[in-house]
mmCIF file with all atom_site columns, all heavy atoms in Angstrom:
data_model
loop_
_atom_site.group_PDB
_atom_site.id
_atom_site.type_symbol
_atom_site.label_atom_id
_atom_site.label_alt_id
_atom_site.label_comp_id
_atom_site.label_asym_id
_atom_site.label_entity_id
_atom_site.label_seq_id
_atom_site.pdbx_PDB_ins_code
_atom_site.Cartn_x
_atom_site.Cartn_y
_atom_site.Cartn_z
_atom_site.occupancy
_atom_site.B_iso_or_equiv
_atom_site.pdbx_formal_charge
_atom_site.auth_seq_id
_atom_site.auth_comp_id
_atom_site.auth_asym_id
_atom_site.auth_atom_id
_atom_site.pdbx_PDB_model_num
ATOM 1   N N   . ARG H 1 19  ? -24.605 -28.899 30.163  1.00 0.00 ? 19  ARG H N   1
ATOM 2   C CA  . ARG H 1 19  ? -24.270 -29.399 28.705  1.00 0.00 ? 19  ARG H CA  1
ATOM 3   C C   . ARG H 1 19  ? -23.291 -28.477 28.019  1.00 0.00 ? 19  ARG H C   1
ATOM 4   O O   . ARG H 1 19  ? -22.312 -28.851 27.497  1.00 0.00 ? 19  ARG H O   1
ATOM 5   C CB  . ARG H 1 19  ? -25.661 -29.527 27.970  1.00 0.00 ? 19  ARG H CB  1
ATOM 6   C CG  . ARG H 1 19  ? -25.600 -30.618 27.025  1.00 0.00 ? 19  ARG H CG  1
ATOM 7   C CD  . ARG H 1 19  ? -27.047 -30.820 26.343  1.00 0.00 ? 19  ARG H CD  1
ATOM 8   N NE  . ARG H 1 19  ? -26.893 -30.287 24.980  1.00 0.00 ? 19  ARG H NE  1
ATOM 9   C CZ  . ARG H 1 19  ? -27.934 -29.702 24.286  1.00 0.00 ? 19  ARG H CZ  1
ATOM 10  N NH1 . ARG H 1 19  ? -29.058 -29.450 24.872  1.00 0.00 ? 19  ARG H NH1 1
ATOM 11  N NH2 . ARG H 1 19  ? -27.731 -29.382 23.056  1.00 0.00 ? 19  ARG H NH2 1
ATOM 12  N N   . ILE H 1 95  ? -9.663  -22.250 32.698  1.00 0.00 ? 95  ILE H N   1
ATOM 13  C CA  . ILE H 1 95  ? -9.994  -21.507 33.890  1.00 0.00 ? 95  ILE H CA  1
ATOM 14  C C   . ILE H 1 95  ? -10.408 -20.097 33.512  1.00 0.00 ? 95  ILE H C   1
ATOM 15  O O   . ILE H 1 95  ? -11.386 -19.543 34.193  1.00 0.00 ? 95  ILE H O   1
ATOM 16  C CB  . ILE H 1 95  ? -8.590  -21.452 34.855  1.00 0.00 ? 95  ILE H CB  1
ATOM 17  C CG1 . ILE H 1 95  ? -8.996  -20.775 36.165  1.00 0.00 ? 95  ILE H CG1 1
ATOM 18  C CG2 . ILE H 1 95  ? -7.542  -20.678 34.333  1.00 0.00 ? 95  ILE H CG2 1
ATOM 19  C CD1 . ILE H 1 95  ? -9.917  -21.752 37.103  1.00 0.00 ? 95  ILE H CD1 1
ATOM 20  N N   . ALA H 1 129 ? 1.873   -4.011  37.671  1.00 0.00 ? 129 ALA H N   1
ATOM 21  C CA  . ALA H 1 129 ? 3.041   -3.099  37.859  1.00 0.00 ? 129 ALA H CA  1
ATOM 22  C C   . ALA H 1 129 ? 4.257   -3.933  38.435  1.00 0.00 ? 129 ALA H C   1
ATOM 23  O O   . ALA H 1 129 ? 5.367   -3.662  37.932  1.00 0.00 ? 129 ALA H O   1
ATOM 24  C CB  . ALA H 1 129 ? 2.668   -1.957  38.947  1.00 0.00 ? 129 ALA H CB  1
ATOM 25  N N   . VAL H 1 132 ? 6.231   -5.813  35.778  1.00 0.00 ? 132 VAL H N   1
ATOM 26  C CA  . VAL H 1 132 ? 7.218   -5.171  34.795  1.00 0.00 ? 132 VAL H CA  1
ATOM 27  C C   . VAL H 1 132 ? 8.154   -4.238  35.657  1.00 0.00 ? 132 VAL H C   1
ATOM 28  O O   . VAL H 1 132 ? 9.046   -3.676  35.060  1.00 0.00 ? 132 VAL H O   1
ATOM 29  C CB  . VAL H 1 132 ? 6.490   -4.226  33.810  1.00 0.00 ? 132 VAL H CB  1
ATOM 30  C CG1 . VAL H 1 132 ? 5.615   -5.206  32.836  1.00 0.00 ? 132 VAL H CG1 1
ATOM 31  C CG2 . VAL H 1 132 ? 5.505   -3.165  34.473  1.00 0.00 ? 132 VAL H CG2 1
ATOM 32  N N   . GLY H 1 145 ? -8.236  -3.496  25.140  1.00 0.00 ? 145 GLY H N   1
ATOM 33  C CA  . GLY H 1 145 ? -7.054  -4.035  24.567  1.00 0.00 ? 145 GLY H CA  1
ATOM 34  C C   . GLY H 1 145 ? -5.960  -2.884  24.564  1.00 0.00 ? 145 GLY H C   1
ATOM 35  O O   . GLY H 1 145 ? -6.157  -1.777  25.044  1.00 0.00 ? 145 GLY H O   1
ATOM 36  N N   . LEU H 1 207 ? 14.198  3.228   11.711  1.00 0.00 ? 207 LEU H N   1
ATOM 37  C CA  . LEU H 1 207 ? 14.662  2.180   12.599  1.00 0.00 ? 207 LEU H CA  1
ATOM 38  C C   . LEU H 1 207 ? 16.131  2.015   12.352  1.00 0.00 ? 207 LEU H C   1
ATOM 39  O O   . LEU H 1 207 ? 16.716  2.521   11.255  1.00 0.00 ? 207 LEU H O   1
ATOM 40  C CB  . LEU H 1 207 ? 13.926  0.897   12.185  1.00 0.00 ? 207 LEU H CB  1
ATOM 41  C CG  . LEU H 1 207 ? 12.469  0.953   12.216  1.00 0.00 ? 207 LEU H CG  1
ATOM 42  C CD1 . LEU H 1 207 ? 11.830  -0.416  11.865  1.00 0.00 ? 207 LEU H CD1 1
ATOM 43  C CD2 . LEU H 1 207 ? 11.924  1.388   13.737  1.00 0.00 ? 207 LEU H CD2 1
ATOM 44  N N   . TRP H 1 263 ? 7.316   12.809  27.956  1.00 0.00 ? 263 TRP H N   1
ATOM 45  C CA  . TRP H 1 263 ? 6.585   11.625  28.564  1.00 0.00 ? 263 TRP H CA  1
ATOM 46  C C   . TRP H 1 263 ? 7.114   10.308  27.801  1.00 0.00 ? 263 TRP H C   1
ATOM 47  O O   . TRP H 1 263 ? 7.107   10.234  26.620  1.00 0.00 ? 263 TRP H O   1
ATOM 48  C CB  . TRP H 1 263 ? 5.027   11.774  28.116  1.00 0.00 ? 263 TRP H CB  1
ATOM 49  C CG  . TRP H 1 263 ? 4.211   10.796  28.796  1.00 0.00 ? 263 TRP H CG  1
ATOM 50  C CD1 . TRP H 1 263 ? 3.888   9.676   28.334  1.00 0.00 ? 263 TRP H CD1 1
ATOM 51  C CD2 . TRP H 1 263 ? 3.468   10.985  30.060  1.00 0.00 ? 263 TRP H CD2 1
ATOM 52  N NE1 . TRP H 1 263 ? 3.025   8.922   29.203  1.00 0.00 ? 263 TRP H NE1 1
ATOM 53  C CE2 . TRP H 1 263 ? 2.722   9.746   30.254  1.00 0.00 ? 263 TRP H CE2 1
ATOM 54  C CE3 . TRP H 1 263 ? 3.339   11.976  31.130  1.00 0.00 ? 263 TRP H CE3 1
ATOM 55  C CZ2 . TRP H 1 263 ? 1.947   9.521   31.430  1.00 0.00 ? 263 TRP H CZ2 1
ATOM 56  C CZ3 . TRP H 1 263 ? 2.580   11.679  32.078  1.00 0.00 ? 263 TRP H CZ3 1
ATOM 57  C CH2 . TRP H 1 263 ? 1.816   10.646  32.345  1.00 0.00 ? 263 TRP H CH2 1
ATOM 58  N N   . VAL H 1 266 ? 5.362   3.327   26.793  1.00 0.00 ? 266 VAL H N   1
ATOM 59  C CA  . VAL H 1 266 ? 5.781   2.139   26.186  1.00 0.00 ? 266 VAL H CA  1
ATOM 60  C C   . VAL H 1 266 ? 4.586   1.264   25.692  1.00 0.00 ? 266 VAL H C   1
ATOM 61  O O   . VAL H 1 266 ? 3.650   1.076   26.612  1.00 0.00 ? 266 VAL H O   1
ATOM 62  C CB  . VAL H 1 266 ? 6.578   1.157   27.124  1.00 0.00 ? 266 VAL H CB  1
ATOM 63  C CG1 . VAL H 1 266 ? 6.921   -0.160  26.487  1.00 0.00 ? 266 VAL H CG1 1
ATOM 64  C CG2 . VAL H 1 266 ? 7.944   1.841   27.582  1.00 0.00 ? 266 VAL H CG2 1
ATOM 65  N N   . PRO H 1 304 ? -8.937  -15.018 28.268  1.00 0.00 ? 304 PRO H N   1
ATOM 66  C CA  . PRO H 1 304 ? -9.844  -14.830 27.162  1.00 0.00 ? 304 PRO H CA  1
ATOM 67  C C   . PRO H 1 304 ? -10.081 -13.332 26.810  1.00 0.00 ? 304 PRO H C   1
ATOM 68  O O   . PRO H 1 304 ? -9.995  -12.494 27.745  1.00 0.00 ? 304 PRO H O   1
ATOM 69  C CB  . PRO H 1 304 ? -11.003 -15.455 27.715  1.00 0.00 ? 304 PRO H CB  1
ATOM 70  C CG  . PRO H 1 304 ? -10.709 -16.200 28.966  1.00 0.00 ? 304 PRO H CG  1
ATOM 71  C CD  . PRO H 1 304 ? -9.443  -15.701 29.406  1.00 0.00 ? 304 PRO H CD  1
ATOM 72  N N   . GLU H 1 390 ? 15.778  -21.978 7.929   1.00 0.00 ? 390 GLU H N   1
ATOM 73  C CA  . GLU H 1 390 ? 17.169  -21.840 7.430   1.00 0.00 ? 390 GLU H CA  1
ATOM 74  C C   . GLU H 1 390 ? 17.597  -23.086 6.707   1.00 0.00 ? 390 GLU H C   1
ATOM 75  O O   . GLU H 1 390 ? 18.509  -23.070 5.857   1.00 0.00 ? 390 GLU H O   1
ATOM 76  C CB  . GLU H 1 390 ? 18.074  -21.404 8.497   1.00 0.00 ? 390 GLU H CB  1
ATOM 77  C CG  . GLU H 1 390 ? 17.926  -19.836 8.857   1.00 0.00 ? 390 GLU H CG  1
ATOM 78  C CD  . GLU H 1 390 ? 18.720  -19.405 10.064  1.00 0.00 ? 390 GLU H CD  1
ATOM 79  O OE1 . GLU H 1 390 ? 18.780  -20.292 11.027  1.00 0.00 ? 390 GLU H OE1 1
ATOM 80  O OE2 . GLU H 1 390 ? 19.168  -18.417 10.018  1.00 0.00 ? 390 GLU H OE2 1
ATOM 81  N N   . VAL H 1 435 ? -2.704  -21.450 10.433  1.00 0.00 ? 435 VAL H N   1
ATOM 82  C CA  . VAL H 1 435 ? -3.087  -20.038 10.116  1.00 0.00 ? 435 VAL H CA  1
ATOM 83  C C   . VAL H 1 435 ? -1.941  -19.074 10.571  1.00 0.00 ? 435 VAL H C   1
ATOM 84  O O   . VAL H 1 435 ? -1.917  -18.647 11.717  1.00 0.00 ? 435 VAL H O   1
ATOM 85  C CB  . VAL H 1 435 ? -4.371  -19.649 10.706  1.00 0.00 ? 435 VAL H CB  1
ATOM 86  C CG1 . VAL H 1 435 ? -4.712  -18.179 10.512  1.00 0.00 ? 435 VAL H CG1 1
ATOM 87  C CG2 . VAL H 1 435 ? -5.608  -20.496 10.195  1.00 0.00 ? 435 VAL H CG2 1
ATOM 88  N N   . ILE H 1 465 ? 5.263   -26.030 8.209   1.00 0.00 ? 465 ILE H N   1
ATOM 89  C CA  . ILE H 1 465 ? 6.198   -25.899 7.166   1.00 0.00 ? 465 ILE H CA  1
ATOM 90  C C   . ILE H 1 465 ? 6.036   -26.987 6.072   1.00 0.00 ? 465 ILE H C   1
ATOM 91  O O   . ILE H 1 465 ? 6.061   -26.788 4.941   1.00 0.00 ? 465 ILE H O   1
ATOM 92  C CB  . ILE H 1 465 ? 7.652   -25.910 7.787   1.00 0.00 ? 465 ILE H CB  1
ATOM 93  C CG1 . ILE H 1 465 ? 7.912   -24.718 8.532   1.00 0.00 ? 465 ILE H CG1 1
ATOM 94  C CG2 . ILE H 1 465 ? 8.592   -26.084 6.639   1.00 0.00 ? 465 ILE H CG2 1
ATOM 95  C CD1 . ILE H 1 465 ? 7.934   -23.380 7.820   1.00 0.00 ? 465 ILE H CD1 1
ATOM 96  N N   . ARG H 1 476 ? 3.341   -24.837 -8.210  1.00 0.00 ? 476 ARG H N   1
ATOM 97  C CA  . ARG H 1 476 ? 4.314   -24.724 -9.251  1.00 0.00 ? 476 ARG H CA  1
ATOM 98  C C   . ARG H 1 476 ? 3.845   -25.714 -10.431 1.00 0.00 ? 476 ARG H C   1
ATOM 99  O O   . ARG H 1 476 ? 4.158   -25.440 -11.542 1.00 0.00 ? 476 ARG H O   1
ATOM 100 C CB  . ARG H 1 476 ? 5.700   -24.786 -8.880  1.00 0.00 ? 476 ARG H CB  1
ATOM 101 C CG  . ARG H 1 476 ? 6.442   -23.469 -9.214  1.00 0.00 ? 476 ARG H CG  1
ATOM 102 C CD  . ARG H 1 476 ? 7.791   -23.416 -8.568  1.00 0.00 ? 476 ARG H CD  1
ATOM 103 N NE  . ARG H 1 476 ? 7.757   -22.980 -7.284  1.00 0.00 ? 476 ARG H NE  1
ATOM 104 C CZ  . ARG H 1 476 ? 8.238   -23.739 -6.323  1.00 0.00 ? 476 ARG H CZ  1
ATOM 105 N NH1 . ARG H 1 476 ? 8.689   -24.849 -6.538  1.00 0.00 ? 476 ARG H NH1 1
ATOM 106 N NH2 . ARG H 1 476 ? 8.181   -23.314 -5.038  1.00 0.00 ? 476 ARG H NH2 1
#
Side-chain angles (χ1 to χ4, degrees):
R19 217 176 101 208
I95 189 73
V132 295
L207 306 181
W263 186 275
V266 177
E390 281 172 328
V435 175
I465 293 297
R476 244 171 277 120

